[in-house]
């Protein structure tokens, strides 16, 4: 329980309507989208309306040693917004304005509560595009996306969130307001603190304003579905496309379990008997799109595709991508718990990783559906399980351990886009070693010596 004077100060700064203390309100902030994760209820939820109010709240928290858990829509998949030490959830959803779209500098300035799709809808009015598009693009916030450095379907060609963040306004752990970066294309002044805070999961500061890079929207695009009777052939096709120096905007894979589940969910016309499908989209100038589409078709056939379907209009295209974006919600209907991971490997190792996932599923007698951004090496092995079954969950944890061990052994990383949060903290030593984790702690302690910002995530105090 928070002291009465803490709540009184919060109400004085924010107003009673922006300070939630009722149990039914607090319960809704005790968890996020991460499966099989223990719930932790905060002591209070606050919703500031300005950067100045955020700074005031941080100063109150510092004065009374109250942990702060900054939250957007709560769609993250690593336990990143769960308030494991109680304290305060800082909801940024009221800070939801698109402040500017600057066509001369190809930038947009937004508040952290802006929904990613809302930014893209506004940019599209000017013939522009903000490329990062995580699966939750219609619900996830810009602040959460920057904090997790989310990726998405277009990561292969266009990169991930960190490639588009040009400037940040931050409230630091002592309540000071700072700005780094800006609209200039080049900026090498001092340390690259924009890069440091992007992907820091709210553990180093609180984002209150974001300047992003926009690009001209592509003139044309073409989507296709390639069907394979063997997952290994699909894996080899991915490598062959990149080897032939074609970089699609999107290159996604769905295995048989995912195909069947998604088709029953959205009825997109996916072949239920296929062992794997690849969804591919090329975009750019019309002439380039036509040439690359022909080349990709030829490579798919050479690598063993038994069927190719080209979307003939936007309606067919949208249906194909609806199928891909429906993978997780469709799989979530099969059993009570879906443990979704994002082990990421070099593109050339995708066939090896796909084989390993199938081997691990057999070894631990688990159903693992695999889909994901195969073109950039970011797979989502998804274990379909029931967290109420203690014996099965033991096997799930062993399987997850082995998935990450395999990814690291193949030269990969623990996370391509979901972040570390709570879920992957125990694996950090395996990727960075003790010295690397110690360096992370020193950065944390330099900027947040009291461990008040999202404590219990990425690194813990000794």
């Amino acid at each position: 329980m928070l002291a009465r004077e803490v709540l009184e100060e919060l109400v004085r700064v924010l107003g009673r309507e922006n300070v939630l203390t009722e149990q039914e309100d607090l319960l809704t902030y005790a968890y996020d989208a991460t499966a099989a994760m223990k719930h932790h209820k905060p002591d209070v939820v606050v919703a500031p309306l300005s950067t100045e109010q955020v700074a005031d709240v941080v100063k109150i928290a510092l004065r009374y040693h109250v942990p702060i858990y900054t939250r957007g829509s709560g769609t993250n998949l690593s336990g990143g917004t769960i308030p494991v030490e109680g304290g305060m959830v800082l909801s940024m959803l009221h800070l939801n304005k698109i402040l500017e779209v600057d066509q001369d500098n190809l930038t947009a300035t937004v508040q952290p509560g802006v929904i990613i799709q809302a930014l893209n809808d506004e940019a599209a009015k000017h013939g522009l595009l903000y490329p990062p598009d995580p699966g939750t693009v219609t619900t996830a916030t810009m602040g959460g996306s920057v904090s997790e450095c989310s990726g998405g379907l277009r990561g292969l060609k266009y990169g991930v969130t960190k490639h588009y963040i040009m400037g940040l306004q931050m409230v630091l752990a002592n309540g000071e307001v700072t700005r780094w970066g800006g609209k200039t294309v080049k900026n090498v002044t001092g340390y690259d603190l924009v890069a440091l805070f992007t992907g820091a999961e709210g553990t180093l500061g609180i984002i209150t304003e974001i300047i992003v890079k926009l690009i001209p929207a592509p003139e044309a695009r073409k989507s296709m579905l390639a069907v394979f009777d063997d997952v290994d052939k699909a894996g080899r096709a991915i490598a062959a496309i990149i080897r032939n120096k074609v970089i699609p905007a999107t290159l996604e894979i769905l295995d048989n379990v995912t195909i069947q589940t998604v088709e029953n969910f959205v009825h997109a016309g996916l072949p239920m008997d296929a062992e794997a499908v690849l969804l591919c989209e090329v975009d750019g100038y019309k002439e380039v799109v036509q040439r690359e589409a022909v080349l990709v078709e030829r490579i798919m056939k050479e690598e063993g595709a038994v069927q190719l379907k080209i979307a003939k209009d936007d309606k067919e295209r949208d249906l194909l991508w609806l199928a891909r974006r429906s993978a997780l919600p469709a799989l979530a209907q099969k059993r009570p718990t879906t443990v979704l991971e994002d082990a990421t490997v070099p593109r050339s190792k995708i066939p090896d990783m796909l084989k390993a996932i199938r081997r691990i599923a057999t070894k631990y007698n688990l159903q693992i559906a695999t889909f994901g951004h195969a073109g950039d090496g970011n797979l989502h092995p998804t274990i379909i399980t029931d967290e109420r079954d203690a014996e099965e969950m033991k096997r799930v944890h062993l399987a997850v351990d082995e998935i990450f061990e395999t990814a690291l052994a193949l030269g990969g990383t623990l996370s391509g886009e979901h972040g570390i949060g709570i879920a992957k903290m125990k694996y950090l030593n395996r990727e960075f070693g003790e010295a690397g984790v110690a360096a992370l702690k020193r950065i944390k302690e330099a900027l947040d010596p009291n461990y008040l910002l999202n404590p219990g995530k990425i690194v813990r105090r000794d």
Side-chain angles (χ1 to χ4, degrees):
M1 293 289 293
L2 290 181
R4 181 168 53 85
E5 55 265 36
V6 179
L7 295 175
E8 289 175 349
E9 287 203 42
L10 291 171
V11 169
R12 177 179 56 78
V13 169
L14 302 172
R16 170 62 65 184
E17 68 277 11
N18 294 314
V19 179
L20 305 180
T21 56
E22 296 296 327
Q23 291 302 302
E24 56 267 34
D25 291 322
L26 301 181
L27 281 170
T28 62
Y29 292 88
Y31 57 93
D32 55 26
T34 314
M37 195 67 66
K38 185 178 179 182
H39 295 182
H40 296 269
K41 206 166 48 172
D43 298 303
V44 64
V45 177
V46 299
L49 301 173
S50 67
T51 296
E52 293 72 25
Q53 286 189 349
V54 173
D56 288 342
V57 167
V58 171
K59 290 172 185 175
I60 294 169
L62 180 62
R63 196 154 55 243
Y64 293 99
H65 303 286
V66 179
I68 301 174
Y69 292 89
T70 307
R71 182 183 176 111
S73 297
T75 57
N76 84 90
L77 293 164
S78 59
T81 55
I82 298 175
V84 293
E85 296 184 12
M88 179 192 308
V89 165
L90 183 72
S91 172
M92 304 301 280
L93 293 180
H94 288 340
L95 289 167
N96 59 4
K97 294 183 177 62
I98 298 173
L99 301 173
E100 179 189 49
V101 174
D102 183 341
Q103 296 183 71
D104 293 333
N105 289 302
L106 295 182
T107 65
T109 304
V110 302
Q111 292 182 318
V114 168
I115 302 300
I116 302 169
Q117 188 61 53
L119 170 59
N120 249 329
D121 291 344
E122 186 64 28
K125 296 175 184 177
H126 306 279
L128 300 172
L129 174 70
Y130 174 68
D133 64 333
T136 51
V137 66
T138 58
T139 51
T141 63
M142 286 296 298
S145 180
V146 174
S147 294
E148 296 288 344
C149 193
S150 58
L153 276 65
R154 288 192 283 251
L156 169 58
K157 180 174 182 178
Y158 292 107
V160 298
T161 299
K162 65 183 178 183
H163 300 119
Y164 294 88
I165 307 306
M166 298 179 68
L168 293 173
Q169 182 182 73
M170 307 285 305
V171 175
L172 299 179
N174 61 4
E176 293 179 346
V177 179
T178 59
R179 280 185 179 272
W180 290 290
K183 293 184 179 182
T184 60
V185 175
K186 295 178 179 179
N187 184 334
V188 293
T189 305
Y191 299 121
D192 190 352
L193 294 175
V194 172
L196 176 64
F197 283 93
T198 301
E201 302 184 31
T203 62
L204 303 179
I206 298 168
I207 298 168
T208 58
E209 198 172 292
I210 307 160
I211 300 174
V212 301
K213 176 173 68 175
L214 304 176
I215 65 171
E219 176 183 284
R221 59 194 181 187
K222 183 167 286 192
S223 294
M224 65 189 75
L225 171 77
V227 181
F228 293 85
D229 58 10
D230 185 292
V231 176
D232 293 339
K233 292 178 182 177
R236 290 195 293 271
I238 294 163
I241 290 169
I242 304 302
R243 189 167 58 248
N244 279 272
K245 300 176 177 60
V246 178
I247 308 298
T250 306
L251 183 54
E252 301 284 305
I253 190 169
L254 283 71
D255 73 355
N256 180 257
V257 176
T258 310
I259 292 165
Q260 293 195 27
T261 308
V262 167
E263 181 57 24
N264 287 327
F265 188 65
V266 297
H267 309 293
L270 300 181
M272 300 277 276
D273 58 345
E275 286 300 309
V277 297
L278 293 181
L279 288 165
C280 180
E281 180 167 285
V282 292
D283 68 1
Y285 293 111
K286 290 179 182 178
E287 299 81 2
V288 174
V289 167
Q290 185 60 37
R291 185 168 65 249
E292 289 189 341
V294 170
L295 181 55
V296 169
E297 288 180 57
R298 178 175 63 76
I299 294 168
M300 295 281 202
K301 291 175 181 176
E302 289 174 352
E303 295 298 331
V306 296
Q307 182 184 346
L308 275 168
K309 178 181 179 182
I310 311 298
K312 64 178 182 289
D313 53 35
D314 281 347
K315 182 178 179 181
E316 286 193 1
R317 173 196 177 270
D318 291 345
L319 189 58
L320 285 178
W321 294 111
L322 173 64
R324 166 58 187 89
R325 290 189 185 276
S326 299
L328 181 56
L331 290 167
Q333 293 194 342
K334 288 183 72 69
R335 294 191 70 193
T337 308
T338 49
V339 179
L340 174 71
E341 297 300 348
D342 75 324
T344 304
V345 296
R347 289 186 290 235
S348 61
K349 299 297 183 182
I350 281 285
D352 297 321
M353 193 67 204
L354 290 169
K355 287 179 185 176
I357 292 168
R358 295 201 303 278
R359 174 183 56 77
I360 291 166
T362 301
K363 178 179 178 179
Y364 294 104
N365 191 26
L366 295 168
Q367 188 173 33
I368 303 180
T370 300
F371 64 95
H373 321 301
D376 58 27
N378 185 192
L379 293 175
H380 295 312
T382 304
I383 305 175
I384 306 165
T385 183
D386 186 343
E387 62 185 299
R388 296 170 298 184
D389 186 333
E391 190 280 328
E392 183 167 284
M393 287 306 295
K394 288 180 182 178
R395 288 184 277 120
V396 168
H397 294 312
L398 290 171
V400 170
D401 287 348
E402 197 160 332
I403 287 170
F404 286 131
E405 287 171 3
T406 303
L408 293 174
L410 291 171
T413 184
L414 297 172
S415 179
E417 58 187 6
H418 293 171
I420 298 302
I422 306 168
K424 298 172 188 172
M425 285 177 64
K426 69 176 183 177
Y427 302 109
L428 278 180
N429 267 340
R430 303 185 195 184
E431 180 160 345
F432 294 144
E434 290 184 10
V437 173
L440 294 180
K441 285 185 177 180
R442 287 196 293 274
I443 293 170
K444 169 70 172 174
E445 289 165 2
L447 289 165
D448 180 20
N450 297 298
Y451 279 77
L452 290 183
L453 300 181
N454 209 5
K457 314 297 171 64
I458 302 183
V459 294
R460 288 193 178 96
R461 74 184 88 195
D462 294 327

